Amino acid sequence: MIKFYYHPSPNPAKIALFLEEAGLPYEMVPVDTRRGDQFKPEFLAINPNAKTPALIDGDVTIFDSNAILLYLAEKTGKFLPENTPAARGQMLSWLMFVATGIGPYCGQAVHFTRFAPEKIPYAINRYSREAERHWGIINEQLGKHRYMLGDSYTLIDMSVWGWSTRAAFALGEEAFGKLTNVKRHLDEISARPAAQRAVALKDQFAFKTEFDEEARKFLFPQNAHLVG
């Protein structure tokens, strides 16, 4: 049985969607990051980076959502593009684009616009504009094809979906006015039964929702260096 270490946030959402789409049996292990579960020794032994998601499959331990997606796709043979060098090149390119662009810039845009103790216009502009630019590239790609790699639904669509569910939170409610292809893609995937089951995982455990000082301590541990 696969053990899936989960918190209701964009990166674990990708894995939840794949597991549900593939019909793989798994046990969800909640990791409440606002209570500091990610820093417990037993979780650090699985992911030394103290982030969700992580996964144990028999004697395989793997972390980072993009690595997990690729592992599961190759393990099952599902949701991969056709088996050609050209198609694999496109798959890897878009997978890494989401990993190195969409995720980090959206994360930093959210941090500086919503959670930073002071509003720094330069930082807000830098990360928000770069997040918008990256989403614009996704939007253009989805303007050419129904799905990210063409006419077939793949792990890349799952990776994009994990973040597009939070795009309005990162960029503002008006974001989808420009990202019409992203919104179409988001709505189509969100309507899938597997996506609805993936979203419902958050209701299986009482994750902390308060953003209090304890949550800040665990989510932003580097800020301890600012004290005093």
Side-chain angles (χ1 to χ4, degrees), residues 32-78:
D32 198 331
T33 59
R34 294 192 181 190
R35 290 191 170 96
D37 289 353
Q38 68 273 36
F39 296 112
K40 291 180 178 178
E42 55 268 32
F43 185 72
L44 290 174
I46 299 164
N47 184 359
N49 195 34
K51 305 285 185 183
T52 57
L55 184 144
I56 295 177
D57 182 17
D59 60 356
V60 175
T61 298
I62 187 165
F63 61 89
D64 184 274
S65 63
N66 304 283
I68 296 171
L69 272 181
L70 190 56
Y71 168 80
L72 291 173
E74 292 180 342
K75 169 188 171 74
T76 61
K78 295 182 177 181

Side-chain angles (χ1 to χ4, degrees), residues 80-191:
L80 289 165
E82 60 181 324
N83 188 22
T84 66
R88 183 170 175 81
Q90 283 297 293
M91 176 192 71
L92 291 173
S93 295
W94 287 110
L95 185 65
M96 299 310 160
F97 179 85
V98 176
T100 64
I102 293 292
Y105 282 106
C106 282
Q108 293 301 322
V110 167
H111 179 80
F112 283 105
T113 56
R114 295 181 182 272
F115 298 124
E118 58 180 305
K119 296 294 183 283
I120 305 171
Y122 180 89
I124 292 171
N125 180 73
R126 162 69 177 169
Y127 290 111
S128 297
R129 298 294 82 76
E130 275 297 282
E132 289 175 359
R133 185 179 73 82
H134 281 80
W135 275 116
I137 294 169
I138 295 286
N139 193 65
E140 184 177 351
Q141 178 70 2
L142 289 171
K144 301 173 185 175
H145 310 284
R146 179 180 178 183
Y147 297 114
M148 284 296 298
L149 300 183
D151 294 328
S152 297
Y153 175 55
T154 70
L155 75 164
I156 308 303
D157 300 292
M158 299 178 194
S159 185
V160 169
W161 176 83
W163 282 100
S164 63
T165 59
R166 308 299 178 88
F169 187 70
L171 302 178
E173 294 299 326
E174 70 283 358
F176 287 127
K178 295 180 180 178
L179 302 173
T180 54
N181 299 316
V182 173
K183 183 63 164 60
R184 183 262 307 162
H185 182 260
L186 167 63
D187 290 345
E188 179 178 339
I189 296 177
S190 295

